[in-house]
Amino acid sequence: MPSISKEDYLKSIYKFQNENGDSVSTADIAADLDVSNAATSDMAKKLAAQGFIKYEKYKGLKLTGKGEKIALNILRRHRLWELFLIKVLGLSWSEVHREAENLEHNTSEFLIDKIDELLNFPEFDPHGSPIPQKNGEVPKLPDMIPLSKAVEGKRYQIKNVHDESEDLINYLTKLNLVLNKKIKIIEKLNFDNSMIIENDGENITVSEKLTNSVFVTKI
């Protein structure tokens, strides 16, 4: 099993590769993990030598089958822990990401399987992200768009939010923009790309930064 540091790199590479469907730049990984570009390049060489990624300088990083298996296993642990912390311990959805980051590296397969069973083999975590199954399969997300791409006058349902920012989750909670909430797009403002939406019968204005981090399906 790779070290904790290597697991974090593989998980980050998987995230970007899954979003973009292409090779991942070392700069993206460095920014995501808050490390230097030089450290990322050094780690990329080590991961490539161990068969976890394919790496050519200036051409980016790409997971091998071996690397993807590790990344999916870490994501499975992370997302099951998030759901467990909410469902069983009553933590808020803004608190669980940081705790799961610590727990994901130090959980036996036996325990994570028991958590999976206790939660009745869930397919999605508290932020709407798919939980990789024990056999490596990943549940299919519904067809979604960023809230920023939503159309005026239409109704949508929140299905996924980026969970890395605790401040974002806290703000969404304050606005009561939680998972599966139904909203209506009232107006899109060209001046700063903010948006007025109707939520619980009240019109509120949300920023472009928020609308790029929330993903919705059309009702």
Side-chain angles (χ1 to χ4, degrees):
M1 176 69 72
S3 68
I4 290 175
S5 176
K6 290 179 182 178
E7 289 176 348
D8 285 336
Y9 274 91
L10 293 171
K11 183 175 69 171
S12 182
I13 294 167
Y14 176 87
K15 178 179 71 174
F16 282 103
Q17 190 174 304
N18 190 54
E19 288 176 358
N20 303 324
D22 204 352
S23 295
V24 181
S25 74
T26 53
D28 283 339
I29 302 303
D32 186 45
L33 298 179
D34 195 23
V35 297
S36 69
N37 285 334
T40 303
S41 294
D42 288 343
M43 179 60 78
K45 293 172 185 175
K46 293 176 183 177
L47 292 173
Q50 294 169 1
F52 293 115
I53 67 170
K54 294 179 180 178
Y55 172 55
E56 291 183 57
K57 198 171 183 180
Y58 307 121
K59 291 188 177 180
L61 321 172
K62 197 162 189 176
L63 292 172
T64 62
K66 180 180 176 182
E68 183 176 283
K69 183 177 180 180
I70 297 295
L72 288 174
N73 186 41
I74 293 301
L75 279 173
R76 176 173 183 253
R77 292 161 179 255
H78 181 98
R79 291 170 180 174
L80 282 171
W81 268 120
E82 285 191 334
L83 197 58
F84 177 87
L85 291 170
I86 284 180
K87 293 284 189 182
V88 179
L89 298 187
L91 273 66
S92 72
W93 71 327
S94 64
E95 296 171 317
V96 295
H97 178 74
R98 182 178 51 205
E99 297 301 328
E101 284 286 312
N102 297 322
L103 292 164
E104 67 189 33
H105 301 290
N106 300 296
T107 307
S108 68
E109 288 299 315
F110 173 80
L111 180 57
I112 207 66
D113 287 346
K114 286 297 183 182
I115 290 173
D116 195 15
E117 182 180 358
L118 176 68
L119 297 173
N120 198 27
F121 308 104
E123 292 192 328
F124 299 96
D125 76 2
H127 308 99
S129 297
I131 300 174
Q133 305 299 292
K134 185 175 176 63
N135 62 5
E137 292 184 7
V138 180
K140 185 173 172 38
L141 282 166
D143 290 332
M144 301 183 298
I145 58 171
L147 180 56
S148 58
K149 302 295 185 184
V151 177
E152 288 182 358
K154 302 295 183 182
R155 293 188 176 274
Y156 296 85
Q157 186 171 30
I158 297 173
K159 285 295 184 181
N160 182 269
V161 300
H162 287 163
D163 66 350
E164 289 87 355
S165 171
E166 195 170 312
D167 289 337
L168 169 65
I169 301 299
N170 282 331
Y171 188 53
L172 289 170
T173 303
K174 183 178 180 180
L175 296 177
N176 198 25
L177 294 174
V178 295
L179 213 62
N180 297 316
K181 175 58 70 76
K182 296 177 180 178
I183 59 175
K184 182 179 180 180
I185 312 305
I186 302 300
E187 186 178 359
K188 301 176 76 170
L189 306 174
N190 292 329
F191 170 69
D192 59 359
N193 292 321
S194 61
M195 181 181 289
I196 299 173
I197 64 175
E198 180 188 295
N199 180 38
D200 293 333
E202 179 183 356
N203 288 358
I204 58 175
T205 302
V206 293
S207 69
E208 181 182 17
K209 185 175 181 180
L210 183 148
T211 61
N212 283 329
S213 299
V214 174
F215 296 83
V216 297
T217 57
K218 188 176 177 182
I219 298 175

